[in-house]
Amino acid sequence: LRELSEWVEPGADGAAPDEYPVKVKLSSGIFHLPGMLNYERTHPDRCYRTPDEAAADGFRPAKR
């Protein structure tokens, strides 16, 4: 069995912690990286350290 990647919940303000900048929305299955079009307005359900970790848990990157 493969272990799932480590993730954390966003802060109370909906922001991603500095160490976990990758924002994931469970409803869409998409992750957003700093600098992407909708990053700032995305209120994540989970935050990951790297895009590879988010992808390993089955999420795909936003298109822009």
Side-chain angles (χ1 to χ4, degrees):
L1 288 170
R2 176 180 71 76
E3 282 191 41
L4 295 178
S5 299
E6 182 182 340
W7 59 272
V8 298
E9 292 189 10
D13 59 356
D18 289 340
E19 306 82 31
Y20 291 79
V22 182
K23 295 180 175 182
V24 167
K25 289 298 290 180
L26 297 177
S27 60
S28 65
I30 291 174
F31 64 83
H32 299 266
L33 302 172
M36 287 184 150
L37 181 65
N38 294 318
Y39 183 83
E40 291 302 324
R41 71 179 197 190
T42 298
H43 296 280
D45 300 305
R46 294 181 179 179
C47 300
Y48 286 85
R49 283 185 286 207
T50 67
D52 289 342
E53 288 183 354
D57 277 356
F59 301 104
R60 63 183 178 82
K63 294 187 191 240
R64 7 180 217 158

